[in-house]
Amino acid sequence: MSANVLIVDDAAFMRMMVKDILTKNGFNVVGEAENGAVAVEKYTELNPDLVIMDITMPEMDGLQAVREIRKISSQARIIMCSAMGQQAMVIDAIQSGAKDFIVKPFQADRVIEAVNKALK
């Protein structure tokens, strides 16, 4: 059975790029969100197996959204992504409950590797 994934990024083209990588590899994209606040709502509504979330977004950033989602479900599987490969952000993301971290621009094999690892 293919996993249901929620994609969260404020850039529509980034969501499209991730969606393309995932669907080509047999994953089911159940929803998209353009910021952390919408991501928390959609997580509650869709209950996805995995969330791929950008860190830097308007309204509610990815780190805040991870914390909110983890309050809803301590079992939530979340992969963070950001163009800024800053060490502090990576550590923050992992401490907030993210399973993995991928850096933009995305390499399809790295995205799939992170997804498979997070779903184990």
Side-chain angles (χ1 to χ4, degrees):
M1 192 182 113
S2 74
N4 293 327
V5 185
L6 172 64
I7 301 170
V8 187
D9 198 306
D10 55 327
F13 77 96
M14 280 297 178
R15 292 195 307 268
M16 195 176 71
M17 203 184 296
V18 175
K19 185 177 185 173
D20 190 49
I21 292 168
L22 293 172
T23 51
K24 280 182 179 165
N25 284 277
F27 294 97
N28 186 21
V29 176
V30 289
E32 296 180 24
E34 63 280 358
N35 64 52
V38 176
V40 174
E41 281 171 34
K42 294 243 180 175
Y43 184 86
T44 308
E45 180 191 319
L46 302 167
N47 194 22
D49 301 311
L50 178 71
V51 181
I52 297 180
M53 181 153 17
D54 189 19
I55 287 186
T56 314
M57 294 181 290
E59 230 170 289
M60 182 192 285
D61 71 18
L63 295 174
Q64 213 178 334
V66 168
R67 292 184 192 109
E68 291 303 311
I69 289 171
R70 298 279 299 178
K71 283 181 198 169
I72 297 164
S73 168
S74 60
Q75 302 304 306
R77 295 181 176 115
I78 304 165
I79 296 173
M80 300 305 289
C81 54
S82 179
M84 298 170 282
Q86 296 169 336
Q87 211 55 40
M89 278 192 164
V90 175
I91 292 164
D92 257 3
I94 302 296
Q95 285 175 340
S96 296
K99 299 276 183 215
D100 205 344
F101 191 95
I102 47 180
V103 181
K104 296 175 186 175
F106 300 120
Q107 292 165 314
D109 56 348
R110 175 65 187 113
V111 172
I112 298 305
E113 176 194 323
V115 167
N116 286 328
K117 194 171 106 180
L119 290 169
K120 281 185 180 162

